[in-house]
Amino acid sequence: MKSDLSDRVRRTIEKYHMAEKGERLLIGLSGGADSAALLLCLHELGYDICACHVNHCIRGEEADRDQHFCEELCKGLNIDITVKVVDVPAYCRANPVSEEEGARLLRYKALQEINADKICTAHNLDDCLETTLFNLARGSGLKGIASIPPVRENIIRPLIECSRADIEAYLFEKGQSFVTDSTNLLDEYSRNKLRHKVVPVMREINPSLMDTFANTLGFLREDSRFLEKMSDDAFAEAVYNDGFSCKMIRKLDYPIRRRVIMRILAKYDVEVSQDKIEMIEHLICNGGKISVKSNCFAYTKSDTLYIYSENSDLKICSDDQVKVSEGVIYWQGRNIEFRIIEIDGKFENVNKKFANSCLDYDKIKGVIVLRKRRAGDRIRLVNREHSSDVRVLMKQAFPLHKRDSAVLLADDEGIVLAENFGAADRVRIDSTTRRVLTYEVISE
């Protein structure tokens, strides 16, 4: 007979579409009450499960005790278990993170290394309350206050709607022991302070705290999910010409606009903070150029926001020019393929897009090179009565950070082709053309 807790876990899995019976589920097993209950529940519900215990090398003999407990628990249930040992203190000495955060990062890394369809963690409703309070105390938006998500990528949390009291009652009913992490009893960790000092006061104010919070959390998650979906759609709509439309972003209501800016920052691996959001918003409204992180800049042009990095990839080809030959040339962060095609001169119906990417190879004077624009460069395009300043053309066609990587071909007499504008009139293809030089940007 299934317990009330098992039924609640089953309903939670179905509600959030967490897992199918045929999938293999990996349980992060610490040996504490939550993970022990999760193991028993999923075993009781007939899921294909395995376990992983991560020894953090923090608590000496106590950590070895926890490992032994987990191994014996799984052995009694005939469940496969993997033990991973990670040196959290050494990791924290090498990286600027707290012991609590270091343990979390290494634990998830260890779990992801094991072959399984889903990873199950034992976060419960009490954990969600503590997370909400923690995020509220340090400052957070709706997503942070909505606490731990039931599903995140391949990580699922079947106990997310169960209280710690319900979990411990379930284990008592089953006669199942568990281990207690002594660090959970210490108030030196922020979450423990909330658990031991703040939550009890809240229970005095509202004896039905967990039920009330569960309802509130449901509303918060639904609101957050709705706003995130709207923001995803707005972000996709804002993408424009290798940048983002300032006009479109300005029209958005602030809650959506802020989230779109957060997505823009995240896309370029810029730390998301209120200061950075405000800097980008000011740029979108007023124009200009700012530094958003080391060697990374944001600026606006023609009411479009661009973010670019002055990274090493863009400087691999630092020469001003490179000789053009058949094959792929890596140029300023782009792979450009050049081909010489022999034809019969019948170009009456040639595709205009193709024609803008080719020239008559036999009309080239001397050596043809791919190079950056230079002061004084001019080109007389096909069917034009006058020549054009190449720098002006590049400004029209490319944002600032793309101009040096534009395809600009020159021979001994000057520019013969400019990307997006086509060939010079003197190397245009016509009825006498027998060899055509073409290019295609194949990656960037």
Side-chain angles (χ1 to χ4, degrees), residues 398-411:
F398 299 97
L400 178 63
H401 64 286
K402 295 277 189 178
R403 291 170 196 165
D404 278 344
S405 63
V407 177
L408 200 64
L409 301 182
D411 64 7

Side-chain angles (χ1 to χ4, degrees), residues 144-209:
I145 296 173
S147 196
I148 305 166
V151 178
R152 179 172 60 83
E153 297 176 348
N154 70 328
I155 298 170
I156 63 174
R157 300 179 171 105
L159 293 177
I160 201 77
E161 296 187 339
C162 305
S163 71
R164 189 169 289 128
D166 291 336
I167 290 167
E168 291 180 358
Y170 167 77
L171 292 173
F172 180 79
E173 174 192 323
K174 294 288 183 182
Q176 176 61 58
S177 62
F178 54 90
V179 296
T180 300
D181 183 342
S182 61
T183 61
N184 288 336
L185 305 176
L186 303 175
D187 283 346
E188 61 188 75
Y189 294 108
S190 300
R191 290 179 181 276
N192 290 350
K193 289 180 182 177
L194 293 169
R195 183 180 304 166
H196 299 148
K197 296 183 177 181
V198 178
V199 174
V201 174
M202 296 178 70
R203 289 184 191 276
E204 289 180 12
I205 296 170
N206 179 9
S208 302
L209 174 65

